[in-house]
Amino acid sequence: MKPILRIDTIFVPAIDTAAAAAWYARVFDMVEVFRSGRHIGLRVAGAPRNSTALTLNPVERIEPLPHAAFNFYTQDPEALRDRLLAESAEVTPITDEEGMRWFDFVDFSGNRVNICHFAGGE
């Protein structure tokens, strides 16, 4: 037996979990998969039930990290960057290096997140 089967959820701090959930749903086409008190779980729409989820974890204050805590894979980093800019998100330029393209953004709650694309990632 394997000691673990998957990464089940990523905990993302949020002061207002309901507003952060609405933002992630709108920007990334995510759907709510559970709610427990102020904790809200989201998953990419159409993803299998056992795919990794985000759990918005209620906190009083966000402690900014100097790096991205996690990343999302996309097929079209330019379009997603444009979408984030339309949401007034803080985004970095796209970096293209050795077959990988990526950028960082700051989410609704102030967390730094990364977006990446590479051939064969689908």
Side-chain angles (χ1 to χ4, degrees), residues 59-99:
V59 296
E60 296 298 318
R61 195 178 122 189
I62 302 293
E63 295 292 336
L65 297 174
H67 57 81
F70 64 95
N71 72 355
F72 290 123
Y73 176 84
T74 185
Q75 292 178 316
D76 190 345
E78 291 82 10
L80 186 49
R81 186 174 183 278
D82 289 345
R83 188 176 205 170
L84 286 159
L85 286 168
E87 289 285 331
S88 300
E90 176 187 329
V91 298
T92 65
I94 294 174
T95 299
D96 190 344
E97 189 174 287
E98 297 181 20

